[in-house]
Amino acid sequence: MMKITDLAACGLLASSLLGTTVQAAPATGSALRDYRAVALSANGQRIAAIESNKAGEQAQRPHAAIVVRDAANGAIVQQFDPCTVCSYDKPSWSPDGKQLAFVGYDAKAGTAQLYLATLSQTPVRTLTSIKGVASTARWSPDGKQLAVLATVGARKLAGAVEAGARQVGEVGSEDDAQRIAVVPASGGELRLLSPNDTYVYEYSWTPDGRGFVATSAQGNGDSNWWVAKLSHIDAATGALRVIASPAMQLNLPSVSPDGKTVVFIGGLMSDFGSIGGDIYTVPLAGGTPRNVTQDYRGTFNGVVWRGARLLATALIDSQLALVPVDAQTGPAQPVLLGEISSSGSDGRLSFSADGSQAAAAQEDFTHASYLVAGPVAQLKKITRDNDGFAPQLTVQNVGWNNEQYKVQGWLLGPLKTDAGKRYPMIVNVHGGPGAAASPRYVAASTLIHELTQKGYFVFLPNPRGSFGQGQAFTRANMADFGGGDWRDILSGIDAVQKVAPVDGERLGLIGHSYGGFMTMWGVTHSDRFKAAVAGAGVSNWISYYGQNGINQWMIPFFGASAYDNPAVYRKASPIESIKAAKTPTLIYVGERDVETPAAQSLEFWHGLRAMGVPSSLFIYDGEGHSFRKPEHQRDLQKRTVGWFERYLK
């Protein structure tokens, strides 16, 4: 459902409570450096990343550039910025490490350019231009071709969290098709390759350069990722062959160096990009996928072939870990990397060709983003641009047991508290449910910083349905939304009250997407909360089934469609219990939200008003599931803080 999910990976609206939306510099006026899409060259000597500075209350998101650094010491070697009005997609190193390919997108013109940059040379070359959107440049193994994912004539940005196209004319007759396209590395005509009725989500070249392994589905790309198949696409003809059609969500497919085996991460996932599951292998020729990490007590979020072995990353309880995996015998002992968030081109890290070196951008709740690089088990910090940013709050890892499950969460609080004084607490439920609240630096002027400055604690639980405890835990709330997951959250609040000076009579509840649903559920199933903020939630699963643009996601989570088993949908609908609502609730949603249409928020608001419950509904003009406009982000923060100040103080 609902991407604002993996808070370790997303800097979007639902993670705003974690301080990743309206980032601003501290009082010193220095700029906060942001690193994204970190890619390590094959020889491990250079790092490329998308970098930008955020200083003060900038009206717009800062423009970024492609920056190349020395992996040994972090020194900037070169910088590429061929389009000052473009946003850049992740850079891709040529096999020889001498060139970078990347896509720039000009939103105003609605065009994308594939750029080629050569180290120590200028200017950057434009290989091809696309009327539409494009992403994910990848070099062929011999370095003679480049491939991209291209949507020619795109009606919207790629991804279900983006604002939807206007629903006028014959609905469903003009679905966007994101296709693999190739162009010679010397430049020339872009050739659309994969079938024009198929949406390709991600892909990688086969080692012989004669084809691609991909995740793909026919029809609407926003909706059909949940039923995507593992496929092979011929690089000469574009012919598509299905390798496997497992009843799970698939991510990060790649082929072994001998060209015989495909690896991917498979599991119950809430949205494309929220990666979490077990590691599976299947013959490239086709067959039944085999789980090589069966019953692992963690959630895998990255995997890549390096020689005959696999290097993977996983969230194990609260810690990110590097996990070597033998494709036959399974995982080896993990190397724990810490209670951090990490990102790189191979999932959570980026690896050299031989797998001996790695690089990534990392951060936690009290340390702003920095680059690390070095031997895979001895990564060292190589940038210090953000060392001047001090911790803005306190952090406590809270664990508890509920029923048969071990559960984990984070408690964030003010830097200083007074002895004997008790403080209000806001419970923030992450999106998903397949995701996890993970450490992100909380900068000054963000929502969570403002709340803790005003004397609030903020609790980020990871109840059943979340990542981090293995697939059995992630699947434990299937067809039970608002059941065991809600009991885990209530139990977590009790656990927090035993270790922190929290006033149980002044509790608030907030969430976006699945978290927005859980907020609606909470205020109709508990009197413990004195104020709530429900973002992009679902109030009525029956009506939602026919309104949303991604209803394929619901089958894995509910077990059947709303037409085949309406009882399970009604059971989980907050509107069915609206008469129990008493909590003052602020509701917000994007006008063009594909994932959770505004009608759901409107329906819940009508119900609260009918019950005489203080409520407010704000629909943000032109926004999708993820809010993109800084002025809307700031307005939402102001409304949210004002709501809690009004009802919790």
Side-chain angles (χ1 to χ4, degrees):
M1 166 180 171
M2 313 176 175
K3 193 163 175 186
I4 311 258
T5 48
D6 184 354
L7 300 186
C10 298
L12 307 178
L13 179 66
S15 53
S16 64
L17 206 64
L18 298 186
T20 57
T21 298
V22 192
Q23 292 183 327
T28 60
S30 58
L32 187 67
R33 190 73 168 178
D34 181 54
Y35 311 93
R36 293 182 291 114
V38 175
L40 184 65
S41 61
N43 61 13
Q45 295 179 2
R46 295 286 185 265
I47 296 171
I50 303 172
E51 299 190 22
S52 61
N53 287 328
K54 178 78 173 183
E57 295 288 347
Q58 290 178 228
Q60 299 294 327
R61 293 183 173 192
H63 176 69
I66 304 293
V67 178
V68 178
R69 293 177 181 265
D70 189 316
N73 55 28
I76 294 178
V77 175
Q78 206 158 354
Q79 182 167 308
F80 302 106
D81 188 14
C83 177
T84 58
V85 296
C86 288
S87 58
Y88 296 122
D89 188 57
K90 44 187 172 286
S92 176
W93 286 101
S94 60
D96 63 8
K98 296 180 180 179
Q99 294 178 301
L100 279 170
F102 56 94
V103 172
Y105 177 67
D106 182 342
K108 187 174 182 179
T111 58
Q113 290 78 36
L114 176 60
Y115 293 110
L116 182 64
T118 301
L119 296 192
S120 301
Q121 291 184 19
T122 54
V124 175
R125 292 175 55 208
T126 301
L127 291 186
T128 192
S129 182
I130 301 159
K131 187 63 177 178
V133 299
S135 68
T136 321
R138 294 192 186 280
W139 292 82
S140 61
D142 62 7
K144 294 181 179 181
Q145 296 184 84
L146 279 157
V148 295
L149 292 177
T151 308
V152 177
R155 299 169 67 236
K156 64 182 290 292
L157 293 178
V161 301
E162 304 297 344
R166 293 179 61 221
Q167 296 293 293
V168 295
E170 184 179 356
V171 175
S173 62
E174 297 183 10
D175 291 328
D176 285 348
Q178 182 167 263
R179 303 170 65 184
I180 297 175
V182 294
V183 65
S186 58
E189 189 77 17
L190 186 74
R191 181 166 62 101
L192 293 169
L193 190 64
S194 56
N196 62 10
D197 64 348
T198 298
Y199 196 102
V200 176
Y201 297 94
E202 54 187 338
Y203 75 103
S204 61
W205 288 85
T206 56
D208 60 8
R210 296 179 179 178
F212 306 90
V213 61
T215 55
S216 65
Q218 291 183 310
N220 184 287
D222 287 345
S223 182
N224 290 329
W225 176 73
W226 288 269
V227 293
K229 300 176 181 179
L230 185 66
S231 56
H232 174 272
I233 296 165
D234 188 278
T237 67
L240 185 149
R241 171 179 60 84
V242 174
I243 298 170
S245 303
M248 67 182 84
Q249 287 69 66
L250 319 174
N251 263 299
L252 302 180
S254 63
V255 183
S256 58
D258 64 8
K260 296 180 179 179
T261 306
V262 181
V263 68
F264 63 90
I265 293 176
L268 186 68
M269 304 182 214
S270 303
D271 211 334
F272 178 70
S274 180
I275 303 171
D278 283 331
I279 295 175
Y280 290 80
T281 59
V282 63
L284 180 62
T288 301
R290 182 175 70 92
N291 189 339
V292 299
T293 57
Q294 186 76 39
D295 300 323
Y296 197 80
R297 292 302 299 271
T299 304
F300 287 92
N301 47 31
V303 64
V304 65
W305 290 100
R306 286 298 180 264
R309 66 173 178 158
L310 294 163
L311 290 175
T313 53
L315 179 63
I316 302 176
D317 192 55
S318 63
Q319 298 228 21
L320 181 69
L322 172 66
V323 187
V325 178
D326 185 287
Q328 298 301 320
T329 61
Q333 189 71 20
V335 178
L336 297 179
L337 302 178
E339 294 178 340
I340 58 172
S341 290
S342 182
S343 62
S345 59
D346 298 315
R348 297 296 185 262
L349 298 170
S350 181
F351 297 98
S352 60
D354 62 5
S356 66
Q357 305 287 310
Q362 296 183 346
E363 63 187 297
D364 59 33
F365 287 118
T366 58
H367 296 89
S369 184
Y370 52 90
L371 292 178
V372 297
V376 291
Q378 298 174 321
L379 296 175
K380 67 175 183 177
K381 182 177 178 179
I382 61 168
T383 60
R384 299 194 173 276
D385 303 278
N386 294 327
D387 280 5
F389 288 80
Q392 300 296 315
L393 41 67
T394 60
V395 182
Q396 188 170 353
N397 184 349
V398 181
W400 67 98
N401 295 309
N402 186 47
E403 298 166 3
Q404 70 268 41
Y405 295 105
K406 177 184 178 183
V407 194
Q408 182 270 339
W410 304 98
L411 181 64
L412 312 181
L415 284 174
K416 295 181 180 180
T417 56
D418 298 329
K421 183 178 179 179
R422 305 191 76 77
Y423 296 82
M425 182 175 76
I426 296 167
V427 180
N428 178 31
V429 185
H430 65 67
S438 298
R440 284 284 197 180
Y441 178 65
V442 177
S445 299
T446 56
L447 174 58
I448 196 169
H449 175 259
E450 187 172 354
L451 290 172
T452 54
Q453 285 284 98
K454 291 180 179 296
Y456 294 87
F457 279 84
V458 180
F459 178 45
L460 312 173
N462 287 315
R464 70 189 76 175
S466 303
F467 294 159
Q469 311 290 345
Q471 279 294 285
F473 186 81
T474 300
R475 294 178 178 275
N477 72 336
M478 291 174 60
D480 188 39
F481 283 12
D485 46 8
W486 181 243
R487 295 193 299 275
D488 287 345
I489 290 170
L490 294 178
S491 179
I493 295 171
D494 296 337
V496 166
Q497 289 184 269
K498 295 177 181 178
V499 298
V502 168
D503 184 352
E505 298 300 315
R506 290 189 291 161
L507 297 177
L509 184 62
I510 190 172
H512 183 101
S513 197
Y514 167 78
F517 153 72
M518 288 293 279
T519 299
M520 293 176 176
W521 182 265
V523 301
T524 56
H525 287 79
S526 175
D527 293 331
R528 294 181 71 171
F529 302 94
K530 300 302 184 290
V533 178
V538 175
S539 60
N540 184 339
W541 290 103
I542 296 291
S543 60
Y544 171 80
Y545 195 90
Q547 293 169 350
N548 77 85
I550 58 165
N551 61 17
Q552 290 290 351
W553 85 265
M554 302 172 75
I555 307 300
F557 284 89
F558 283 81
S561 76
Y563 312 126
D564 293 322
N565 189 3
V568 71
Y569 287 83
R570 289 198 179 97
K571 179 184 175 183
S573 295
I575 205 70
E576 297 283 336
S577 304
I578 195 67
K579 284 185 175 292
K582 297 183 178 64
T583 304
T585 304
L586 168 65
I587 308 162
Y588 71 88
V589 67
E591 175 210 2
R592 291 162 61 186
D593 192 329
V594 172
E595 298 209 347
T596 54
Q600 287 296 306
S601 292
L602 186 64
E603 185 170 351
F604 196 69
W605 177 67
H606 274 295
L608 291 178
R609 280 166 56 90
M611 297 303 111
V613 177
S615 59
S616 175
L617 169 64
F618 202 91
I619 300 175
Y620 284 90
D621 178 33
E623 295 284 12
H625 198 60
S626 297
F627 286 16
R628 300 303 190 191
K629 298 176 182 178
E631 63 270 24
H632 290 166
Q633 297 168 352
R634 289 192 294 268
D635 180 79
L636 176 57
Q637 179 168 321
K638 181 179 178 180
R639 290 176 187 273
T640 299
V641 173
W643 195 261
F644 286 129
E645 285 286 276
R646 179 178 179 182
Y647 290 104
L648 288 185
K649 287 296 186 73

